[in-house]
């Protein structure tokens, strides 16, 4: 203390006051930091729990889907459309000039190499999240032969690209890979 | 009013209590409570040490893997572990691939139900599945073991003591309580609350399980390992809890010292 | 209210000036727990527990709301959803342990707060209303804690619900229908679990409301103090802020150190292992006990083992258990001594330290012990003293006791002049 005071040329009383202020400010700051640290678990507890995250990949048997057919599977508690395209549907998708589209993508970019007939997309309209029609048997496929969202009238083509209506993007293609010819792993 | 009725109410309760006390004392003298075999022969768990004991203790993953092996090969036929998912086994140090393989090869399959056809079937387990429940038709009800180490006092030591505590019923017990002979189909174990249980000694001989890490699989070793494993299943977050605890206590200690100094500052002119 | 020398709130900047005119919330806080509330300068650390109790309620509400985001109040899945919180929810184990041990911490703090009141006779005029509201808070806390303990739907939860609602079954004539109505069935099941969850969520906010009344009532006469002598001059008080905010900050630090040590290193020490066994309506655990904070009252309940004339033992026990808390409502009128603080009441002090405190300790121990001798007989004697203490001894002591001389003022007591003053006036007091 004495040594410090001799280095510091200011009056002793002034130094004492500053040291006191420092302690009070430090104590309040510690309380602030502690309070902020507690916020972390309070916030992160709302993020997906371990069991939800563990279900973030799913394996689906696609061997029974014939060309022209589609199924609805569940991935992360949301529908995913798996569609086996006919050659005619592929041709109709390829005919379109991709650069003229709202969300320019070719069918090739949206499928895996050598498996162009397997169109796998989320069944979630990119407008506001309804499930489009067209995957189930007998459902309306819209003006472009793909999917049609009845909520606000978005039409998707055979490559599930947005062609007409309010949706801003093509139906999302999730991450997936073929484990074998018969099994696809999504996520 | 209060000063009038208060003492009266007080006297009422006091007399009622004296009445109970007197009757109780009289019957305690005339008919003292009979001793029971459980009272005299039940033992507290043995003194056994685990790596996870104490505030610095951490689970020994190698031991947990051995314990899991004992559970899988010895306990799993009768005892469920329904709160544990296969994915949780990654905490024991298994890789993702190993976890998947363990799930796929698990003896009890995952039941499935087709809501369209109404058919019940089963499929291989996957990592996100919980360990499927097993059912036991024989005598007794094997409890689920997920939480057993927290559901008993001193649970880890309890499991270990129970596994290594099977013995012949002491002659002294039979002499004193001739009616308390272990019934047929039950087994005597002084660490079990009522001394007799339906489970025969599950870990009966050395090398019942073949350990791959070179540890000698004695009865004692296997019992310790599976006890450690069940402590983990009951409290899988214990390591993280203690680690967090030290950080929190360290911070709080510093904050409290500062708060004390600040309090002294503030009060300096008032004492 | 307040003392004439209480500092008045002065908005520092334009914004607070504007706010003060439209909605004087800063002024309200300033006068409640800020520099505008003059507090006796001699409060000791026993006066920390009020703020700590408020902190505990906040802690319980925050962790409780979070647990309710993950918990499912359905008898089929309640136990599993609790384990889901413990294993899978991010930091879920910490939230649950914080809540379970938070309940214990809340009771520790509140018991210290209440016994502070007993020793310093904080219940006496003009502070009766503060005391009455405090007892109401305590009763609400007990109801809330009991219903919360049912929610994990373990063995102790189930049998606790059955036994405690069974208490109402002891009431003549209406008892049994009342119990069935409370449970919404003949035994605890979904209906009971769901309504307990709903009420367990609601009651803490009711408690918060009563706490506001409790503090409001406190601000009418101002805080009591260890001498029991009322504030006479400005020199007897200091502003709440910064003096008591600083002191409470330090107290909070010590509290959190102890609380977190238990939370992180012995989170199940205060719980019962049987509650990790799922509820089983067909098998009662060998030794059922409520949570530790109910033990003294549970001991009183069990102390009545023989019918008393036409009153069944069961009803006697229930009456006595509720009576043991209800009697606190009458304390301000049972204790008529003109002196407040136990420091200046020699006889009262003896009965407090050598009567009430050991009695509570015995009741506490017996309540947690199995219903066997000698615990039953011990709890009978202790219960007897408990009722006698409040209903007979306290009125008697206050009329025959000769209090020791009080200091003239708080300031005198603090600055150490009272020692000599007391000795001069009454040499035997040393």
């Amino acid at each position: 203390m004495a040594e410090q005071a001799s280095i510091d040329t200011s009056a002793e009383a002034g130094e004492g006051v500053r040291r006191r202020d420092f302690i009070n400010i430090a104590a309040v700051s510690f309380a602030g930091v502690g309070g902020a640290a507690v916020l972390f678990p309070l916030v992160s507890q709302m993020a997906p729990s371990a069991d939800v995250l563990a279900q973030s990949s799913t394996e689906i048997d696609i061997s029974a889907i014939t060309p022209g057919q589609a199924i609805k599977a569940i991935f992360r508690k949301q529908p995913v459309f798996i569609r086996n395209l006919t050659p005619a549907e592929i041709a109709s998708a390829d005919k379109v000039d991709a650069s003229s589209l709202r969300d320019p993508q070719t069918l090739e970019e949206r499928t895996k190499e050598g498996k162009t007939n397997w169109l796998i997309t989320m069944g979630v309209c990119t407008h506001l999240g309804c499930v489009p029609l067209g995957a189930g048997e007998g459902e309306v496929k819209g003006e472009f032969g793909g999917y049609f969202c009845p909520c606000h009238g978005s039409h998707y083509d055979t490559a599930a690209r947005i062609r007409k209506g309010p949706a801003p993007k093509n139906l999302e293609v999730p991450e997936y890979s073929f484990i074998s010819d018969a099994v696809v792993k999504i996520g | 009013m209060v000063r009038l009725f208060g003492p009266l109410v007080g006297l009422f309760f006091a007399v009622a209590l004296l009445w109970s006390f007197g009757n109780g004392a009289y019957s305690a003298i005339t008919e003292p409570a009979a001793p029971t075999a459980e009272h005299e022969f039940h033992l507290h768990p043995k003194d056994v040490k685990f790596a996870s004991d104490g505030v610095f203790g951490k689970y020994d993953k190698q031991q947990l893997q051995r314990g899991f092996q004992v559970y899988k090969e010895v306990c799993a036929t009768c005892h469920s572990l329904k709160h544990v998912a296969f994915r949780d086994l990654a905490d024991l140090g298994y890789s993702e691939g190993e976890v998947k393989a363990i799930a796929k090869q698990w003896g009890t399959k995952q039941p499935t139900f087709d809501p369209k056809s109404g058919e019940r079937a089963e499929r291989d387990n996957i990592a996100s599945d919980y360990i499927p429940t097993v059912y036991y038709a024989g005598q007794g009800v094997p409890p689920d073991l997920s939480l057993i180490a927290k559901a008993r006092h001193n649970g880890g030591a309890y499991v270990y003591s129970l596994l290594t505590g099977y013995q012949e019923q002491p002659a002294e017990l039979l002499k004193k309580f001739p009616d308390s002979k272990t019934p047929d189909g039950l087994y005597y174990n002084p660490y079990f609350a009522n001394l007799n249980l339906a489970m025969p000694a599950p870990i009966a001989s050395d090398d019942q399980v073949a350990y791959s890490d070179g540890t000698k699989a004695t009865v004692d070793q296997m019992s310790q390992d599976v006890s450690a494993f069940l402590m983990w299943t009951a409290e899988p977050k214990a390591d993280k809890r203690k680690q967090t605890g030290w950080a929190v206590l360290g911070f709080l200690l510093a904050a409290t010292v500062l708060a004390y100094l600040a309090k002294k500052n503030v009060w300096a002119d008032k004492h | 209210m307040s003392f004439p020398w209480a500092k008045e709130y002065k908005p520092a900047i334009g914004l607070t000036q504007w706010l003060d005119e439209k909605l004087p919330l800063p002024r309200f806080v300033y006068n409640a727990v800020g520099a505008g509330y003059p507090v006796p300068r001699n409060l000791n650390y026993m006066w920390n527990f009020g703020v700590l109790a408020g902190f505990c309620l906040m802690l319980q509400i925050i962790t409780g709301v979070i647990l309710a985001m993950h918990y499912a109040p359905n008898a089929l899945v309640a136990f599993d959803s609790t384990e889901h919180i413990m294993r899978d929810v991010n930091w879920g184990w910490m939230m649950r342990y914080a809540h379970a041990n938070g309940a214990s911490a809340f009771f520790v703090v509140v018991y210290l707060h209440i016994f502070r009141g007993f020793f310093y006779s904080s219940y006496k005029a003009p502070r009766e209303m503060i005391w009455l509201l405090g007892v109401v808070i305590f009763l609400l806390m007990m109801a809330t804690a009991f219903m919360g303990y049912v929610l994990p739907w373990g063995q102790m939860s189930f049998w606790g619900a059955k036994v405690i609602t069974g208490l109402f079954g002891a009431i003549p004539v209406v008892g049994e229908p009342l119990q069935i109505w409370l449970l919404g069935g003949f035994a605890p099941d979904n209906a009971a679990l769901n309504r307990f969850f709903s009420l367990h969520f609601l009651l803490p906010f009711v408690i918060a409301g009563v706490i506001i009344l409790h503090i409001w009532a406190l601000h009418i006469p101002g805080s009591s103090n260890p001498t029991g002598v009322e504030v006479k001059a400005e020199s007897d008080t200091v502003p709440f802020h910064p003096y008591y905010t600083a002191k409470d900050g330090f107290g909070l630090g010590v509290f959190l150190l102890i609380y977190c040590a238990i939370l992180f290193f012995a989170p199940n020490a205060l719980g019962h292992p049987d509650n990790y066994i799922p509820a089983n309506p067909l098998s009662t655990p060998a030794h059922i006990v409520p949570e530790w904070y109910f033990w003294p009252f549970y001991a009183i309940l069990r102390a009545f083992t023989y019918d008393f004339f036409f009153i069944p033992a069961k009803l006697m026990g229930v009456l006595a258990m509720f009576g043991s808390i209800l009697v606190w409502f009458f304390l301000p009128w049972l204790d008529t001594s003109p002196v407040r603080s136990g420091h200046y009441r020699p006889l009262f002090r003896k009965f407090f330290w050598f009567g009430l405190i050991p009695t509570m300790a015995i009741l506490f121990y017996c309540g947690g012990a199995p219903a066997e001798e000698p615990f039953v007989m011990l709890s009978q004697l202790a219960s007897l003293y408990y009722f006698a203490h409040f209903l007979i001894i306290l009125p008697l002591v206050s009329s025959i006791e000769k209090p020791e001389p009080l200091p003239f003022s708080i300031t005198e007591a603090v600055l150490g002049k009272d020692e000599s003053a007391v000795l001069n006036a009454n040499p035997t007091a040393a």
Side-chain angles (χ1 to χ4, degrees), chain A residues 42 44-45 47-51, chain C residues 66 70 84 88 90-91 94-95:
Chain A
L42 295 188
S44 75
Q45 53 87 17
S49 56
D51 54 329
Chain C
I66 283 172
H70 303 281
H84 163 71
D88 289 334
N90 302 306
W91 298 96
M94 191 165 91
M95 298 301 158

Side-chain angles (χ1 to χ4, degrees), chain B:
Chain B
M1 279 293 267
V2 172
R3 258 157 281 155
L4 181 68
F5 282 107
L8 286 179
V9 172
L11 274 175
F12 168 71
F13 281 124
V15 173
L17 280 161
L18 277 176
W19 175 251
S20 281
F21 179 81
N23 273 307
Y26 177 75
S27 77
I29 294 163
T30 50
E31 328 153 22
T36 61
E38 286 94 332
H39 224 142
E40 295 192 8
F41 287 87
H42 177 248
L43 297 178
H44 284 294
K46 298 177 190 175
D47 200 12
V48 54
K49 298 268 172 289
F50 291 100
S52 57
D53 286 349
V55 294
F56 296 108
K58 272 189 142 113
Y59 289 122
D60 171 355
K61 292 190 177 180
Q62 211 53 45
Q63 182 181 35
L64 296 189
Q65 291 200 4
R66 292 196 303 268
F68 170 62
Q69 194 185 348
V70 176
Y71 167 75
K72 185 174 72 172
E73 295 178 21
V74 180
C75 321
T77 33
C78 305
H79 290 280
S80 300
L81 205 59
K82 68 172 195 166
H83 294 294
V84 179
F86 289 103
R87 63 187 153 83
D88 294 332
L89 296 172
D91 283 3
L92 306 190
Y94 291 114
S95 69
E96 201 189 323
E98 286 171 316
V99 169
K100 280 189 171 173
I102 289 168
K104 200 174 167 62
Q105 289 153 19
W106 196 257
T108 313
K109 300 296 171 194
Q110 201 72 26
T112 59
F113 174 70
D114 184 342
K116 199 148 177 296
S117 63
E119 268 171 40
R120 287 172 200 281
E122 49 186 32
R123 62 164 170 78
D124 285 345
N125 294 287
I126 58 173
S128 62
D129 285 330
Y130 286 86
I131 295 181
T133 305
V134 289
Y135 300 93
Y136 179 76
Q139 187 179 11
V141 185
D144 184 281
L145 294 183
S146 314
L147 284 162
I148 202 80
K150 282 205 290 196
R152 300 287 183 276
H153 281 291
N154 196 3
Y158 169 83
V159 174
Y160 167 79
S161 307
L162 192 80
L163 290 174
T164 55
Y166 285 88
Q167 52 185 261
E168 284 296 311
Q169 206 169 17
E172 197 193 337
L173 188 157
L174 288 174
K175 212 170 91 194
K176 223 167 156 186
F177 305 100
D179 294 343
S180 298
K181 187 173 164 26
T182 302
D184 282 344
L186 297 188
Y187 303 85
Y188 181 80
N189 191 324
Y191 298 97
F192 192 68
N194 66 12
L195 305 180
N196 302 302
L197 76 167
M199 173 173 77
I203 300 176
S205 61
D206 289 355
D207 295 317
Q208 194 171 337
V209 166
Y211 282 149
S212 58
D213 67 353
T215 307
K216 176 113 183 58
T218 60
V219 169
D220 191 78
Q221 183 68 42
M222 289 184 284
S223 304
Q224 276 195 40
D225 291 348
V226 78
S227 305
F229 171 71
L230 291 175
M231 287 164 82
W232 172 80
T233 62
E235 185 82 352
K237 298 286 194 278
D239 283 357
K240 191 181 183 192
R241 167 161 63 74
K242 292 176 197 169
Q243 202 186 341
T244 314
W246 284 116
V248 169
L249 287 190
F251 176 86
L252 280 176
L253 191 64
T256 307
V257 168
L258 273 175
Y260 178 69
L261 294 174
K263 183 248 162 195
K264 269 184 70 171
N265 276 344
V266 168
W267 281 86
D269 58 342
K270 288 289 173 190
H271 280 307

Side-chain angles (χ1 to χ4, degrees), chain C residues 137-213:
Chain C
I137 293 171
F138 182 66
L139 289 171
L140 286 170
M141 273 177 68
M142 292 179 98
T144 310
F146 156 66
M147 287 189 280
Y149 194 55
V150 174
L151 302 184
W153 211 239
Q155 273 289 68
M156 283 294 170
S157 302
F158 181 90
W159 292 99
K162 188 147 187 174
V163 168
I164 300 296
T165 54
L167 298 181
F168 293 92
I171 302 170
V173 189
V174 293
E176 214 169 313
L178 182 65
Q179 185 187 356
I180 290 171
W181 175 77
L182 281 172
L183 289 173
F186 304 99
D189 199 2
N190 248 339
L193 180 59
N194 248 309
R195 67 189 58 177
F196 284 5
F197 176 66
S198 170
L199 294 172
H200 182 71
F201 205 119
L202 168 73
L203 284 184
F205 297 97
V206 177
I207 292 177
V210 184
I211 285 176
I212 289 173
L213 301 182

